[in-house]
Amino acid sequence: MRSVFASALCAAAAISSAHSTAQAAAIVYGADATKTSSVLHGANRELTQIGFMTSSDLWTGANFLRWDDGRLTNNKGSYGWMDAIPRDVNSSNGVSGNPDRADGAAPFLGEAGKTGTLREVFGPFGGGYKNMSYLIDGEDRAAWTLDLLLAPGQTISADANDRTIELSLIERGGNSDLRIRGIRDDGTLTDAIMMLRSQTGRTGWTLDSLEIGGPQNVVGVGISLDRSWTNLKGFRLEAADGMNGPDLIAVGTIAPTPLPTPGTAALMGLAALAAGRRRRA
Ligand SMILES: [Ca+2]
Ligand SMILES: [Ca+2]
Ligand SMILES: [Ca+2]
Ligand SMILES: [Ca+2]
């Protein structure tokens, strides 16, 4: 009897879940090259539009310029937003994750000393666009961790619509995986989700950087996060042995909004109270 009752409960749960509009898990959509375009300024690439399979969302370069701060931890050390990170160039592979650039792209400020910064890779370049010819190059069997943070006090939260995108990654190669976590405003991390190489879609352009000897396809994903990903101040991207060296070009997200602080909420409460008193007076 008990097992029959349990089965009935399971069936009811399945029906309930099937009819629920709430999204239960992150969904990863490949980039759609037919809805994606970019322009070159010399060999520096500016994204003008990116679209994704099965989603009607169209993002622009602005979606990939949300970052105000960051930290990269690799096999050599841990580096903040403006810190000079040692780079591999000309087929050397000693740094597990490092700034790299298209062969013809503008040199990094630390070019002579073979360094680059997170701000150069993920911040505005020249006229203010995210330079899609700058990336973090990974190695086949090595690990790195990258935190990207929104401006202080700003957060993003996933909606309940599984066709809208909240996070996009652009990667060079399309033969690597990447682990993703949300960083909540209180510093705690969400559960991890994966971008698998099989889920990526081509953007329509290629990238040949200083660290490799020929061009590779650039791919992307758009991810609809589930509703447990709320009040995020940033994202953590992780490469590990077995992920085949993800080469991260860009990370995009929706427009952030200010997180109401307890102080703001209290002030608003006081204002409402004062208004009520005035009305009664
Ligand atoms: Ca490297
Ligand atoms: Ca969504
Ligand atoms: Ca790759
Ligand atoms: Ca090259």
Side-chain angles (χ1 to χ4, degrees):
M1 271 309 284
R2 183 180 164 166
S3 68
V4 170
F5 181 63
S7 304
L9 273 181
C10 284
I15 289 163
S16 156
S17 143
H19 285 262
S20 167
T21 53
Q23 186 181 330
I27 301 178
V28 183
Y29 302 104
D32 183 343
T34 68
K35 296 189 287 187
T36 301
S37 56
S38 65
V39 291
L40 279 170
H41 309 277
N44 303 301
R45 189 178 295 275
E46 176 179 9
L47 178 81
T48 45
Q49 179 177 290
I50 185 167
F52 312 95
M53 304 290 181
T54 322
S55 171
S56 57
D57 285 4
L58 292 174
W59 282 16
T60 69
N63 289 92
F64 296 86
L65 271 183
R66 307 291 193 202
W67 314 114
D68 183 70
D69 197 5
R71 176 159 292 277
L72 175 72
T73 303
N74 61 22
N75 63 329
K76 301 291 184 186
S78 184
Y79 307 91
W81 188 239
M82 305 286 283
D83 291 343
I85 306 167
R87 287 164 49 206
D88 287 327
V89 290
N90 300 330
S91 305
S92 69
N93 291 310
V95 189
S96 62
N98 60 272
D100 189 18
R101 63 171 175 85
D103 292 330
F108 285 107
L109 291 174
E111 193 71 27
K114 295 183 180 177
T115 65
T117 64
L118 291 179
R119 185 185 184 282
E120 287 175 285
V121 177
F122 296 106
F125 171 83
Y129 60 93
K130 152 60 188 150
N131 192 342
M132 296 288 169
S133 296
Y134 286 176
L135 72 159
I136 297 296
D137 178 281
E139 300 300 336
D140 291 355
R141 304 183 62 81
W144 51 260
T145 299
L146 171 69
D147 287 353
L148 289 175
L149 299 172
L150 302 164
Q154 301 283 305
T155 58
I156 68 108
S157 293
D159 61 17
N161 182 342
D162 64 12
R163 294 294 174 89
T164 58
I165 305 302
E166 282 92 30
L167 177 67
S168 175
L169 306 179
I170 299 179
E171 198 263 347
R172 193 267 310 278
N175 55 357
S176 306
D177 314 315
L178 195 61
R179 187 186 296 124
I180 306 155
R181 299 174 198 272
I183 306 172
R184 297 192 190 92
D185 185 65
D186 64 5
T188 60
L189 298 171
T190 66
D191 289 342
I193 58 171
M194 292 296 296
M195 176 197 82
L196 300 175
R197 63 197 83 179
S198 60
Q199 296 168 319
T200 63
R202 290 188 185 179
T203 59
W205 76 82
T206 62
L207 174 57
D208 180 358
S209 72
L210 291 176
E211 205 169 325
I212 62 171
Q216 294 181 5
N217 287 312
V218 171
V219 302
V221 294
I223 304 176
S224 180
L225 302 166
D226 77 64
R227 285 288 280 157
S228 69
W229 292 53
T230 54
N231 296 337
L232 305 181
K233 65 178 179 182
F235 292 94
R236 173 164 295 179
L237 299 311
E238 296 174 311
D241 188 6
M243 295 186 193
N244 202 39
D247 304 298
L248 186 63
I249 297 171
V251 180
T253 192
I254 54 178
T257 53
L259 183 73
T261 62
T264 309
L267 281 174
M268 287 171 70
L270 282 174
L273 198 63
R277 278 184 183 151
R278 275 198 299 277
R279 274 197 297 274
R280 279 195 300 274

